[in-house]
Amino acid sequence: MYRGREGQWAFYLHRISGLGILVFLMLHVANISSAMWGPEVSNALMKFYHQPVFQVGLLFLIAGVLYHGFNGLRIILMDFTSWGVRYQRQLWYGVWVLFVVFYLPFLIKIGGGILGGGHGD
C-alpha cells in the first residue's frame, strides 16, 4: 500500500493539508482576537489580508480543506469496510476526481478575481 505509491502520497498530502489548516486556524483566531484592540486594528488587519498573496493562500486553504476532507472519507472507508484496503488505490483516484470537481469553481472565481485585479471580491 505504501512504498512511494498512492497510499504514501495520500498519507503525506493528508498530513500537509492538516498542518495547513492548523496554520490558517491560528491566523484566523489571531485575526478575530484583534477586535479587542478596536475597530481600527481589526479593519487594518482585514485590509491587509485582502492582498493578492492572501487570496492565493485562500486557494491553497480551500484545496487543503477539500483534499483533507475527501481523503478523510477514504480513510474511513478503508478502516470500517471489509473492501476498503483492497480498493484504496481506486478510492484515492476518486478523491482526486471529487477534489477537481469541487475545486474548479473556487479556482475560477477566486483565481479569476486575482488575475483580473478584483482579488476575488
Side-chain angles (χ1 to χ4, degrees), residues 64-75:
V65 167
L66 287 174
Y67 177 80
H68 197 80
F70 291 138
N71 193 55
L73 293 175
R74 180 188 75 91
I75 292 169

Side-chain angles (χ1 to χ4, degrees), residues 36-114:
M36 66 184 159
W37 288 296
E40 301 84 21
V41 174
S42 184
N43 290 337
L45 269 176
M46 289 302 283
K47 187 175 179 180
F48 178 73
Y49 286 138
H50 276 80
Q51 296 179 46
V53 68
F54 288 103
Q55 296 298 311
V56 172
L58 179 62
L59 285 174
F60 280 117
L61 173 67
I62 293 168
V65 167
L66 287 174
Y67 177 80
H68 197 80
F70 291 138
N71 193 55
L73 293 175
R74 180 188 75 91
I75 292 169
I76 290 170
L77 289 174
M78 288 174 51
D79 286 346
F80 294 107
T81 65
S82 60
W83 50 268
V85 174
R86 227 180 4 250
Y87 294 105
Q88 70 89 23
R89 177 187 288 168
Q90 292 88 342
L91 288 170
W92 193 62
Y93 288 118
V95 164
W96 282 108
V97 168
L98 288 171
F99 172 83
V100 168
V101 166
F102 281 85
Y103 188 63
L104 276 177
F106 292 105
L107 184 62
I108 291 167
K109 172 67 175 147
I110 298 170
I114 295 169

